Amino acid sequence: MTTNYIEVRKHYLEQLGQMGKELPGPMSGFGRLHAEVVKNDALDQKTKELMSLAVAIAVHCDGCIACHVHDAIEAGATRAELMDTIGVALLMGGGPGTVYSTHAMDAIDQFMAEKAKVISSN
């Protein structure tokens, strides 16, 4: 069975919004941290998203995979770059990382198809 990563991301973002209402201090702190970390600095945003994806695979986080595949594609990552990132995750994650790499491939396919739909409808 394939996970719908577009829906996973949507649900994750909805839940984070609710958590922000109920836990404004910690969530606003995390939001500021996220914004600072992903902005272009010595590394660009795309590189940081690819790094985040590799970690997401290694720690087995489907929500993280959904968000970082989406954000990496939005930052301009190509399929080849995403697949190379999966290779790094395989190296660092061993057998469990290999299994979770297939989750990332599903997410890549889904978000790239979604982006192609948007581009073709414009």
Side-chain angles (χ1 to χ4, degrees), residues 19-42:
M19 283 177 54
K21 292 176 185 173
E22 296 185 43
L23 293 169
M27 291 305 293
S28 66
F30 181 78
R32 286 191 311 275
L33 173 64
H34 181 268
E36 279 298 311
V37 169
V38 299
K39 70 182 184 181
N40 290 329
D41 203 2

Side-chain angles (χ1 to χ4, degrees), residues 11-88:
H11 177 73
Y12 176 73
L13 294 176
E14 288 169 355
Q15 290 296 87
L16 287 178
Q18 183 60 36
M19 283 177 54
K21 292 176 185 173
E22 296 185 43
L23 293 169
M27 291 305 293
S28 66
F30 181 78
R32 286 191 311 275
L33 173 64
H34 181 268
E36 279 298 311
V37 169
V38 299
K39 70 182 184 181
N40 290 329
D41 203 2
L43 297 173
D44 64 9
Q45 182 180 1
K46 178 177 77 171
T47 301
K48 292 176 182 183
E49 291 298 342
L50 293 170
M51 292 169 67
S52 297
L53 175 59
V55 172
I57 293 166
V59 301
H60 315 148
C61 179
D62 280 326
C64 300
I65 289 170
C67 289
H68 294 297
V69 165
H70 173 272
D71 293 351
I73 291 169
E74 288 298 308
T78 64
R79 183 176 186 87
E81 291 169 325
L82 289 157
M83 294 305 294
D84 208 20
T85 300
I86 288 174
V88 172

